[in-house]
Amino acid sequence: MAILGAIEPILTAGWDGDAAWRLRDYVKRGGYKALERIFEKRIPADEIIGEIKKSGLRGRGGAGFPTGLKWSFMPKDAKGDRYIVCNTDEGEPGTFKDRDILRCNPHAVIEGMVIAAYAVGAARGYNYIHGEIWALYERFEEALDEARAAGFVGRNILGSGFDFELFAHHGYGAYICGEESALLESIEGRKGQPRFKPPFPASVGLYGKPTTINNTETFATVPFVLNMGADAYLAAGKPNNGGTKLFSVSGHVNRPGNYEIPLGTPFPVLLELAGGVRGGRKLKACIPGGSSAPVLPAEVIMDCAMDYDSIGKAGSMLGSGAVIVMDETTCVVKALERLSYFYHEESCGQCTPCREGTHWLYRIVHRIEHGKGRPEDIDLLRGLTTNIMGRTVCALGDAAAMPVQGFLRHFRDEFEYHIENGKCLVPPEVQRAGSTFFKATV
Amino acid sequence: MLDIEIDGKRIQVPPGSTIMDAARALGATIPHFCYHKKLSIAANCRMCLVQVEKAPKPLPACATPVTSGMKVFTHSELVTAAQKGVMEFLLINHPLDCPVCDQGGECRLQDIAVGYGGTASRFRETKRVVSPKEAGPLISMREMSRCIHCTRCVRFGQEIAGVMELGMAKRSAHSEIQTFVGRSVDSELSGNMIDLCPVGALTSRPFRHSARGWELSRRESVSPHDSLGTNLTVQVKNDRVLRVLPRENEEINECWISDKDRFSYEALNSAERLEKPMVRVDGALREVEWNVALDYVAHALKDIARNHGVESIAALASPHSTAEELYLLQKLMRAVGSGNVDFRPRRADFSSDGQRAGIPWLGMRISELKTLEAALVIGSFLRKDHPLFAQRLRRLAQAGGKVSLISVAGDDSLIDLFAQIPVAPRDLAATVAGVVKAAAILRGVAVPAGLEGVEPRERAVAIAESLMKDGKKAIFLGNVAEQVDQAGQLHALGAELARLTGASLGFIGEAANSVGGYVAGALPTGLDARQMFAQPRMAYLLMGVEPEFDCGNPREAVTALGQAELVVMMTPFRHGAAMDYADVLLPLAAFTETSGTYVSTEGRVQRVNGACRPRGEARPGWKVLRVLGNVLALPGFEYESSEEVRDEFIPAGASFIENLDNGIALPLAPVAAVSAEGLERIADVPIHFADALVRRAPSLQRTRDAAEPVARIHPQTLDRLSIAGETRVRVKQGQGEAILPVRADASVPPGCVRVAAAHAATARLAGMFDPIDVERA
Amino acid sequence: MLTKESIQKIDREIAKYPAGQKQSAVMAALAVAQEELGWLPSEAIEFVANYLGMPPIAAYEVASFYDMYDLEPVGKYKLTVCTNLPCMLSGGVDAADYLKEKLGIGFNETTPDGKFTLKEGECMGACGDAPVLLVNNRRMCAHMQPEKIDKLLEELE
């Protein structure tokens, strides 16, 4: 079972059974109704975009940009090709929701993409799927075959005269391709190196043509927004934070997994849904929005509601909705070291501050973790994050710097302890006791 | 126009300009590494971050478009902090090996680090080490740890050279610039990547560790190789040329030079330099003093004139000579009384002589190439004959211009061609005639007389259409079009096509003075370059010509020289074959050692001064000819300077030649498809064998372009000849033959054998585009 | 260089992209080549580059940029273990250590019998199933505690 829990599910309703992903099941759950109604009633594109705008749906990939607004950026009368691209290159550590969407509801993504294509006038689309989830890449292709056979994708969709071809493109192991312009480069058959913006994809995107890129969950949500109506969807969440959202909860909880909850749900409720902190231990910290988001200590996160604004106010980001829970057995220096290693390895290498900065950050945190820290290291780390942030081609530089800043802000004493004593404040036996590797039963 | 204010200074720039453009227009300096005005924007070094009013973050000046009313600050606190931060990042993994780095003293990173770097490093870890890379004989990639990943070299390959040979492999701090599995960089423009590299990662392999930039004196010069008039800076230490770099001239070579221009200087220091005059005494060449040699020549010439008549004397010059040398050689010949003088040794057809309206030239300025809507090149190995001209056409095609090529091989020009028609040399005129006829039909005018029987090919019609569109169009005749025996007809057909389409007609021109030779009047009133060997003479004066390599029919030339009573070679070099037939060798100063003038293909007059003293006792050609004139007691040879010589045939102060005109009175001959009975030779002149200098430049000789000639034959023709399985074949032209490796090559037109000229392995063969036989070796 | 079947697979990928955009299929084509050959020798990269009409170094850039391509030979089974933070919190590093000890090799090493290669992976987007590992880029194995690792190794024997 992919979805472990939900409060008033919208997107994940009916995700039961092995055949939930099949076209027949999806149609039985009301799938492709939104698309059929658009063509039946000949709803104009502008109206659809307006509805999405009104629903408060914000990009579910991490940046939280209003979806309807993004669609409206596509040039209105420019002639020539334009594209719809779905970003299923889910690789932000802690995030695994899109994988479950493709596992249980690929047709919702397809329907959302066809609707978006109609709304922005695109004739071709690609779903860029994380290379590591190969079975779901194959499943998506199978779902596409079903959709084509049923006339939901291809030429003259549902007799409307509207043509839209949709294909799957797989990644092959590069976190940076989750960045939309790197993803476009990757589809074009190159290294995933982000492009300088402006121009944005809406004017110069795939193959240089206007392109709309959205996250998998965003596209999958579109049919539901249209089915239930913008107002009802908005009301399911809270103002400026419309609807429900999938949260991927990982780390030290009893039931790691995906949970669909209305935006604005208090964090403790989500934690409870996920079975609470593992082994009844004390919560130490939580990264609320994927590895790039600054960490929040227990006392801060426990007071937060899970929505863009509330988490933002607490000094972090809702991001992709990846909630990484750490209990009291966690060494935060080791946690940061692992994240810094990740960003260092995943930097595309293109621009100086990111290529060199992520490398340097990792070398310092690694040194501290291994007992070789120096008293000036904390200031140095802070200084380096300042020199990276806001000076890179894409957001990966910021993504690498923010965790460092977050951990230093809230757990400076533990870093200082490491530097002064060459060892961790959390005794090794406590850390070991926290490991479930040899004890877990699943 | 958009208003922008940079550090309080206002300027207006056209829409689409970047902050960097505006800053450059204002003369404001913004430090940068990856930005280059001729390359696409990468915005990866982040050194050019500036503050823009209302922008929350610093923005890269190179990539940020100017918006109206923009206010930019390039020295604010925010900017300084950003630039210092970037500089620190650039330096953490950059080795501190400036004292042993070739780039030291002319290094962007070094220069900018002085202004923006700290005095000590906060980076106390071990630095990244990048393994040395292999890139061929010209570019050294031994110290890639110095690379700052600006990707200028990669973009140069993709955008200017037209071939991506370097790439940035891997990612993150592990990123490395490299070729595909250590292959060599083979582009004929590769050396420009050395200039583009802002650090000492890509360095010149021939120049490495030979001098420091500041030890070299810099002299302006002009390339003596192709016809473009490429501007050079020649760098000299202790009277030796140690390096040649581009001298920027946007109207000619922009900021580029070809590898030939860059590395041919190695030949100046060759062991084959002729350092003292030599005269054959009792069958052997002996070194003698200049006066002895010149007296000998004068006496011998007088004797031959007396005994055999002045018509038995002929003179042939290389089109790479200076205009003064070409002028004085023809003046001397005419003063002696002979009209047997020429400067076009590879030409086979002279039917246009006497029919031309003026001096043949490019037909337009080089800088106008970018304004063309369409261009048709006829008979050219574009890339290898004219690397930078080809580069301009490549950029033209990238910008949407329709560039077509009708030639004798299907070589990849690395230009996104609109149409390419490779044909056998004998079909060249008929194919062009097809375009002419198509143009006439498209215009709805009568088909020119003589072309009634022509059947335009499909692509010929498309080419004609491309030339009929509005805007500027041009037709260019390349080296092959001037070397084949239909040269006159191709000229006439080109002129007719130009008339019908409104395109301009031009000759790209083979050598540095291909136009200058006409200006200097180095043209026959007696026997031309072909006739003077076909009808052997008693005496030959050769200036800069190496007949085995430079003549269109080397076999004929060498045979004629062998029977002559007197062969005088004025040359900077001694070489094997000449030692057999030369009676007198007069050491000439090379191009860096003499003053002189080059008139480029666009008619541009460029004067150079000597950059260093001549090697040994070599003397500038104009001086040698002047003294020879004096010794012969000829009138009008009392020159004090080369300027005086030049003033006789080029008006003082002229920067362009007048009387340039590609009109021709030659009637179109009836053109018909030639039946393909025997095999026909296609001879390219390999880029690094095209003149005496490049032949002796060791590093160029190690490139892939200098590989031994191979007989290349279309696979179908190979089958027909029943030699498909052979690895070596014997190629024969009359009595001349050569044994060469053979390779099937579908880019060679059927019925042809491609065998390079200008190479020792093929020097015994006859005409470049004459019939040829192939048999088992 | 590649079997007819692989070429057909590559052709199918090429067909997904607009005319003149064959290069878009390079990632898929390299994956197909690697699936057939077990890894990507430079000849295979060059073959793919030529097949798609792109410079070999451009294909090499791609092959060396993305983690899942192997530019060196690997064992019959390549096991890629995620050790990123969410996995680490749930035993990812422990799983890697367990494998290292069982197989007697470190990361980026291959067992002497050529059967297993161990790789450290980055986030596979399956953090809820930690620890996770990938077998030969294709098969994702979840909740890899000792007994499941033992079972997997047995099955792959």
Side-chain angles (χ1 to χ4, degrees):
Chain A
M1 261 265 289
I3 296 298
L4 294 182
I7 299 171
E8 299 168 32
I10 298 172
L11 178 59
T12 64
W15 283 15
D16 306 307
D18 291 339
W21 67 276
R22 290 278 176 199
L23 176 70
R24 209 173 36 175
D25 266 49
Y26 180 61
V27 169
K28 226 185 282 171
R29 298 198 298 273
Y32 289 109
K33 277 280 174 303
L35 187 65
E36 282 167 356
R37 196 171 52 251
I38 286 169
F39 290 137
E40 243 166 55
K41 303 204 165 161
R42 299 179 186 281
I43 300 175
D46 281 351
E47 207 169 294
I48 296 169
I49 295 176
E51 191 77 354
I52 298 296
K53 273 186 186 168
K54 203 162 77 172
S55 74
L57 177 62
R58 288 169 64 167
R60 302 300 197 215
F65 193 84
T67 305
L69 192 58
K70 192 183 235 185
W71 291 10
S72 71
F73 289 157
M74 290 288 271
K76 288 284 172 298
D77 6 84
K79 287 216 171 75
D81 300 334
R82 46 185 68 197
Y83 295 94
I84 287 286
V85 174
C86 175
N87 183 346
T88 316
D89 193 34
E90 186 177 47
E92 172 87 358
T95 317
F96 46 94
K97 63 191 180 62
D98 297 337
R99 170 177 178 238
D100 275 349
I101 293 172
L102 286 198
R103 182 192 289 173
C104 302
N105 214 2
H107 282 288
V109 181
I110 295 171
E111 185 180 4
M113 288 186 76
V114 180
I115 292 169
Y118 170 75
V120 304
R124 200 180 262 268
Y126 295 95
N127 185 6
Y128 189 106
I129 299 172
H130 201 48
E132 286 85 341
I133 51 170
W134 193 262
L136 299 179
Y137 166 73
E138 290 179 331
R139 173 170 290 187
F140 190 78
E141 294 225 303
E142 221 179 315
L144 269 178
D145 288 342
E146 288 183 331
R148 265 189 214 108
F152 295 121
V153 168
R155 296 193 67 80
N156 191 18
I157 295 172
L158 300 176
S160 63
F162 176 67
D163 302 334
F164 179 64
E165 285 298 345
L166 179 55
F167 303 96
H169 179 109
H170 66 75
Y172 228 56
Y175 165 71
I176 190 58
C177 290
E179 198 278 347
E180 60 183 18
S181 64
L183 183 149
L184 296 180
E185 286 286 302
S186 187
I187 295 183
E188 291 183 19
R190 287 191 288 273
K191 294 181 288 181
Q193 291 192 330
R195 299 172 181 173
F196 178 78
K197 285 154 282 211
F200 289 92
S203 42
V204 181
L206 186 61
Y207 307 124
K209 307 291 182 195
T211 301
T212 292
I213 313 179
N214 281 118
N215 168 257
T216 319
E217 185 184 352
T218 314
F219 279 126
T221 304
V222 164
F224 297 94
V225 171
L226 296 181
N227 282 336
M228 63 197 289
D231 294 327
Y233 185 79
L234 181 62
K238 64 187 224 186
N240 197 34
N241 296 271
T244 61
K245 161 136 192 56
L246 280 181
F247 285 87
S248 305
V249 185
S250 64
H252 294 156
V253 291
N254 282 315
R255 296 200 309 146
N258 282 314
Y259 297 89
E260 184 182 6
I261 54 173
L263 283 166
T265 303
F267 173 76
V269 175
L270 177 61
L271 187 61
E272 200 47 44
L273 266 180
V277 179
R278 200 180 49 188
R281 288 198 181 81
K282 216 175 114 197
L283 179 70
K284 179 170 186 174
C286 173
I287 300 176
S291 63
S292 312
V295 68
L296 295 175
E299 60 276 17
V300 177
I301 187 73
M302 289 302 277
D303 281 342
C304 283
M306 298 309 284
D307 62 69
Y308 298 99
D309 298 341
S310 169
I311 296 288
K313 217 175 287 167
S316 189
M317 310 184 308
L318 191 71
S320 55
V323 179
I324 305 170
V325 176
M326 290 172 269
D327 70 16
E328 57 195 329
T329 70
T330 310
C331 167
V332 288
V333 179
K334 191 179 279 180
L336 180 61
E337 185 213 13
R338 190 56 190 77
L339 287 182
S340 295
Y341 175 74
F342 170 71
Y343 289 109
H344 148 63
E345 283 294 323
E346 297 294 337
S347 163
C348 83
Q350 177 181 207
C351 71
T352 308
C354 178
R355 180 186 61 247
E356 305 296 339
T358 56
H359 172 70
W360 197 354
L361 288 179
Y362 166 63
R363 298 277 290 269
I364 298 169
V365 181
H366 177 79
R367 212 175 52 209
I368 298 173
E369 162 63 14
H370 288 81
K372 303 266 174 59
R374 304 184 188 119
E376 67 270 24
D377 279 347
I378 292 180
D379 285 341
L380 181 56
L381 281 173
R382 279 185 182 286
L384 294 182
T385 57
T386 314
N387 283 350
I388 296 171
M389 286 187 76
R391 296 175 189 172
T392 51
V393 170
C394 78
L396 191 138
D398 289 20
M402 285 188 293
V404 176
Q405 292 186 341
F407 274 98
L408 288 179
R409 187 181 308 129
H410 297 294
F411 299 99
R412 188 182 176 118
D413 53 335
E414 289 198 37
F415 284 82
E416 284 170 350
Y417 188 91
H418 259 266
I419 290 169
E420 272 166 38
N421 301 288
K423 59 180 185 183
C424 187
L425 190 61
V426 184
E429 59 276 13
V430 175
Q431 288 187 42
R432 261 199 305 278
S435 170
T436 51
F437 180 65
F438 293 100
K439 309 166 226 169
T441 46
V442 175
Chain B
M1 297 295 275
L2 302 170
D3 290 305
I4 176 171
E5 189 184 303
I6 300 179
D7 298 331
K9 286 183 211 151
R10 283 185 199 174
I11 192 172
Q12 286 199 323
V13 291
S17 302
T18 61
I19 295 175
M20 184 71 87
D21 295 332
R24 288 167 63 91
L26 265 176
T29 309
I30 297 177
H32 59 266
F33 297 104
C34 69
Y35 166 80
H36 189 277
K37 61 184 174 186
K38 291 285 178 188
L39 302 176
S40 63
I41 305 289
N44 63 32
C45 78
R46 315 307 280 178
M47 194 64 212
C48 71
L49 292 173
V50 293
Q51 187 178 357
V52 176
E53 194 182 55
K54 289 183 197 131
K57 302 188 288 187
L59 298 173
C62 69
T64 306
V66 172
T67 54
S68 192
M70 193 179 239
K71 274 190 184 167
V72 176
F73 307 94
T74 71
H75 288 90
S76 65
E77 210 174 303
L78 177 81
V79 173
T80 309
Q83 289 170 335
K84 287 194 164 167
V86 170
M87 196 69 222
E88 179 179 39
F89 284 136
L90 282 171
L91 290 177
I92 62 170
N93 276 310
H94 188 81
L96 274 173
D97 65 346
C98 306
V100 296
C101 175
D102 248 26
Q103 196 87 350
E106 41 193 23
C107 173
R108 258 196 117 71
L109 189 66
Q110 213 176 27
D111 293 347
I112 296 178
V114 172
Y116 300 87
T119 46
S121 179
R122 296 193 287 171
F123 185 75
R124 290 166 62 185
E125 334 299 318
T126 50
K127 287 177 186 258
R128 172 177 58 228
V129 174
V130 182
S131 62
K133 304 280 185 285
E134 191 48 54
L138 304 180
I139 300 176
S140 168
M141 295 176 75
R142 305 298 299 168
E143 293 96 0
M144 292 308 289
S145 300
R146 296 174 185 154
C147 174
I148 58 167
H149 308 91
C150 70
T151 68
R152 278 179 170 190
C153 55
V154 178
R155 284 176 283 147
F156 175 85
Q158 292 170 312
E159 296 158 20
I160 308 293
V163 53
M164 184 183 179
E165 296 182 289
L166 287 176
M168 191 160 91
K170 305 187 194 168
R171 68 182 190 215
S172 71
H174 309 303
S175 300
E176 293 182 6
I177 299 288
Q178 61 171 79
T179 61
F180 182 66
V181 293
R183 287 194 184 156
S184 52
V185 175
D186 295 331
S187 162
E188 64 280 357
L189 298 174
S190 71
N192 293 297
M193 300 184 200
I194 301 166
D195 297 342
L196 287 172
C197 182
V199 295
L202 307 187
T203 53
S204 163
R205 207 160 157 178
F207 175 70
R208 266 166 79 76
H209 306 319
S210 60
R212 283 302 195 178
W214 59 82
E215 300 175 305
L216 299 166
S217 46
R218 287 139 206 263
R219 306 278 156 74
E220 295 189 354
S221 192
V222 169
S223 166
H225 300 294
D226 70 21
S227 57
L228 220 64
T230 295
N231 285 195
L232 306 176
T233 297
V234 170
Q235 303 194 330
V236 180
K237 180 184 168 186
N238 299 335
D239 259 328
R240 273 170 82 94
V241 176
L242 291 185
R243 185 163 67 170
V244 169
L245 295 176
R247 183 157 52 91
E248 189 168 341
N249 188 330
E250 189 58 27
E251 297 189 332
I252 305 172
N253 49 299
E254 303 161 80
C255 50
W256 317 123
I257 56 175
S258 68
D259 290 352
K260 178 155 89 166
D261 297 328
R262 183 183 302 268
F263 295 110
S264 70
Y265 74 87
E266 280 193 305
L268 301 170
N269 309 319
S270 153
E272 283 188 41
R273 279 302 294 271
L274 182 62
E275 298 197 353
K276 229 174 140 48
M278 298 180 92
V279 170
R280 193 172 294 277
V281 182
D282 300 331
L285 284 165
R286 303 253 165 86
E287 291 190 347
V288 297
E289 297 305 318
W290 265 105
N291 58 344
V292 175
L294 290 174
D295 275 344
Y296 181 94
V297 173
H299 279 110
L301 283 175
K302 282 181 191 160
D303 281 352
I304 289 168
R306 200 167 42 238
N307 298 337
H308 304 282
V310 287
E311 308 78 37
S312 64
I313 303 173
L316 184 63
S318 160
H320 300 281
S321 312
T322 65
E324 289 80 354
E325 291 165 341
L326 292 165
Y327 175 77
L328 285 183
L329 182 68
Q330 65 83 29
K331 181 170 178 177
L332 185 126
M333 287 298 288
R334 292 190 220 284
V336 167
S338 171
N340 305 334
V341 59
D342 211 335
F343 77 109
R344 303 164 295 177
R346 289 204 180 97
R347 206 173 175 96
D349 172 32
F350 296 83
S351 61
S352 55
D353 280 6
Q355 310 296 325
R356 283 184 301 268
I359 293 169
W361 70 301
L362 189 63
M364 63 195 301
R365 300 276 177 255
I366 293 165
S367 59
E368 288 177 292
L369 273 169
K370 59 175 175 285
T371 65
L372 293 174
E373 296 293 324
L376 167 62
V377 178
I378 299 167
S380 176
F381 293 95
L382 258 178
R383 258 175 83 194
K384 302 300 176 183
D385 289 348
H386 300 96
L388 288 177
F389 188 84
Q391 182 268 144
R392 288 213 182 235
L393 289 179
R394 181 173 304 129
R395 304 283 278 177
L396 174 65
Q398 285 166 4
K402 293 191 165 82
V403 181
S404 302
L405 176 63
I406 300 176
S407 192
V408 292
D411 293 13
D412 188 351
S413 57
L414 303 180
I415 296 170
D416 187 8
L417 291 172
F418 171 68
Q420 181 173 18
I421 312 182
V423 294
R426 59 182 149 229
D427 293 332
L428 205 46
T431 308
V432 177
V435 183
V436 176
K437 185 168 181 177
I441 294 169
L442 283 167
R443 266 201 65 182
V445 299
V447 173
L451 307 188
E452 295 83 359
V454 173
E455 202 55 56
R457 297 160 179 244
E458 186 188 326
R459 275 167 300 167
V461 176
I463 292 172
E465 274 169 348
S466 76
L467 293 172
M468 305 292 283
K469 298 266 160 63
D470 291 341
K472 284 183 73 158
K473 294 101 39 173
I475 300 154
F476 299 111
L477 294 162
N479 294 357
V480 173
E482 294 201 75
Q483 289 158 355
V484 293
D485 58 9
Q486 302 164 336
Q489 276 305 305
L490 287 171
H491 186 169
L493 285 164
E496 183 61 20
L497 186 59
R499 191 183 67 79
L500 286 167
T501 58
S504 71
L505 172 69
F507 290 87
I508 310 176
E510 183 177 337
N513 258 326
S514 284
V515 171
Y518 284 94
V519 177
L523 295 164
T525 44
L527 301 180
D528 59 42
R530 183 76 191 269
Q531 291 164 333
M532 66 174 71
F533 296 121
Q535 304 161 33
R537 303 288 98 187
M538 294 311 291
Y540 289 97
L541 291 176
L542 301 177
M543 187 168 71
V545 176
E546 299 185 321
E548 326 50 53
F549 306 133
D550 292 333
C551 287
N553 188 331
R555 180 162 195 84
E556 199 170 75
V558 172
T559 305
L561 293 170
Q563 60 75 53
E565 271 183 26
L566 176 69
V567 175
V568 179
M569 296 191 73
M570 292 175 271
T571 169
F573 300 104
R574 55 168 93 202
H575 70 289
M579 303 312 272
D580 294 338
Y581 54 70
D583 298 293
V584 181
L585 292 171
L586 302 177
L588 280 202
F591 82 105
T592 50
E593 303 161 357
T594 179
S595 59
T597 302
Y598 296 99
V599 183
S600 76
T601 185
E602 60 177 345
R604 185 187 294 267
V605 179
Q606 297 191 101
R607 191 175 159 73
V608 297
N609 290 311
C612 55
R613 268 205 306 265
R615 182 75 175 261
E617 289 183 22
R619 292 294 173 263
W622 72 269
K623 285 190 181 172
V624 173
L625 289 162
R626 183 201 66 185
V627 178
L628 187 56
N630 299 154
V631 177
L632 283 164
L634 302 173
F637 279 82
E638 294 77 28
Y639 300 103
E640 290 292 323
S641 68
S642 64
E643 284 91 337
E644 271 182 43
V645 179
R646 185 204 52 196
D647 289 349
E648 278 190 20
F649 64 102
I650 296 175
S655 37
F656 285 94
I657 290 296
E658 287 172 11
N659 190 29
L660 301 167
D661 194 329
N662 290 324
I664 186 161
L666 199 65
L668 291 182
V671 185
V674 184
S675 65
E677 281 290 305
L679 294 170
E680 195 177 13
R681 179 179 174 192
I682 294 172
D684 54 312
V685 178
I687 183 167
H688 298 327
F689 291 102
D691 60 57
L693 269 182
V694 284
R695 281 172 208 139
R696 292 176 175 83
S699 299
L700 291 176
Q701 290 305 313
R702 283 195 288 274
T703 62
R704 190 183 283 260
D705 270 331
E708 292 276 310
V710 170
R712 294 201 263 160
I713 304 174
H714 195 281
Q716 285 169 10
T717 309
L718 267 182
D719 282 346
R720 181 161 67 79
L721 296 168
S722 320
I723 48 171
E726 303 294 320
T727 53
R728 297 179 79 79
V729 290
R730 184 188 309 274
V731 294
K732 289 168 80 170
Q733 284 184 297
Q735 298 299 305
E737 59 177 59
I739 294 177
L740 300 172
V742 62
R743 195 188 314 146
D745 184 343
S747 76
V748 177
C752 299
V753 183
R754 180 161 168 185
V755 176
H759 192 278
T762 60
R764 302 164 81 87
L765 296 174
M768 292 170 71
F769 299 94
D770 285 353
I772 191 167
D773 290 318
V774 182
E775 56 190 47
R776 282 196 172 77
Chain C
M1 182 84 213
L2 297 178
T3 60
K4 212 174 134 195
E5 201 191 355
S6 291
I7 295 291
Q8 279 170 352
K9 279 188 197 166
I10 294 173
D11 288 342
R12 185 180 160 273
E13 294 296 325
I14 293 172
K16 290 180 178 178
Y17 305 98
Q21 302 291 353
K22 268 162 110 172
Q23 183 170 340
S24 283
V26 66
M27 290 181 66
L30 289 170
V32 168
Q34 177 163 307
E35 208 174 4
E36 183 189 321
L37 303 169
W39 64 294
L40 281 178
S42 52
E43 298 78 34
I45 297 172
E46 188 167 21
F47 175 87
V48 165
N50 291 337
Y51 195 76
L52 299 176
M54 62 194 284
I57 182 65
Y60 187 85
E61 278 190 340
V62 169
S64 64
F65 185 89
Y66 298 91
D67 277 344
M68 290 164 71
Y69 298 113
D70 296 306
L71 303 187
E72 302 286 337
V74 291
K76 188 175 173 195
Y77 301 107
K78 179 177 77 165
L79 307 179
T80 312
V81 189
C82 178
T83 59
N84 207 309
L85 179 61
C87 270
M88 182 180 99
L89 295 173
S90 301
V93 176
D94 296 326
D97 289 343
Y98 185 77
L99 274 164
K100 284 178 191 169
E101 204 186 314
K102 273 213 93 160
L103 299 174
I105 53 173
F107 283 137
N108 299 314
E109 290 176 3
T110 301
T111 52
D113 61 1
K115 189 160 276 177
F116 294 104
T117 297
L118 198 58
K119 293 255 177 188
E120 186 172 30
E122 291 300 351
C123 187
M124 296 163 187
C127 321
D129 298 346
V132 291
L133 65 81
L134 272 182
V135 181
N136 287 345
N137 288 342
R138 292 290 181 267
R139 177 176 161 201
M140 190 181 287
C141 304
H143 305 295
M144 295 309 282
Q145 271 84 24
E147 53 278 22
K148 285 188 79 175
I149 291 178
D150 293 345
K151 224 176 106 194
L152 175 71
L153 292 184
E154 255 167 55
E155 182 201 318
L156 299 179
E157 279 300 314

